[in-house]
C-alpha cells in the first residue's frame, strides 16, 4: 500500500537486496557487521564491506596521527 511517504520504495529495495543475497552463489557476509556482499565486492574490498573498510582506515589514520 502506498502512503506517499516513500516507504514502498524502501520495502521494494529491501526485498531486492534479500533476493540478491540468496541468488548469487558466492555471496558472503562481512565478518565485522554481517552485511551480505556479492563476490566482486568481497574480492575488491578484501572481505569487508565498504563502510567497515572505511571505518578501519579512518581509525588507522587517526592512530598514525597520534603516534600509536
Amino acid at each position: 500500500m502506498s502512503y506517499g511517504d516513500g516507504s514502498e520504495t524502501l520495502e521494494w529495495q529491501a526485498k531486492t537486496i534479500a533476493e540478491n543475497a540468496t541468488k548469487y552463489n558466492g555471496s558472503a557476509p562481512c565478518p565485522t557487521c554481517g552485511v551480505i556482499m556479492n563476490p566482486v565486492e568481497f574480492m575488491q574490498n578484501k572481505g569487508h564491506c565498504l563502510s567497515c573498510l572505511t571505518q578501519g582506515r579512518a581509525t588507522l589514520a587517526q592512530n598514525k596521527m597520534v603516534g600509536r
Side-chain angles (χ1 to χ4, degrees):
M1 178 178 257
S2 179
Y3 295 108
D5 61 356
S7 63
E8 184 175 291
T9 303
L10 293 175
E11 290 172 2
W12 177 78
Q13 288 174 345
K15 180 178 182 269
T16 303
I17 290 169
E19 287 175 352
N20 287 341
T22 58
K23 185 184 301 182
Y24 297 110
N25 187 15
S27 296
C30 174
T32 307
C33 66
V35 170
I36 302 293
M37 299 175 288
N38 66 40
V40 175
E41 290 174 320
F42 186 81
M43 290 187 307
Q44 187 176 21
N45 296 334
K46 298 177 180 80
H48 292 280
C49 69
L50 187 58
S51 63
C52 290
L53 192 64
T54 303
Q55 186 177 11
R57 287 179 178 167
T59 302
L60 181 66
Q62 185 180 11
N63 289 341
K64 291 290 183 180
M65 286 191 278
V66 173
R68 294 182 192 172

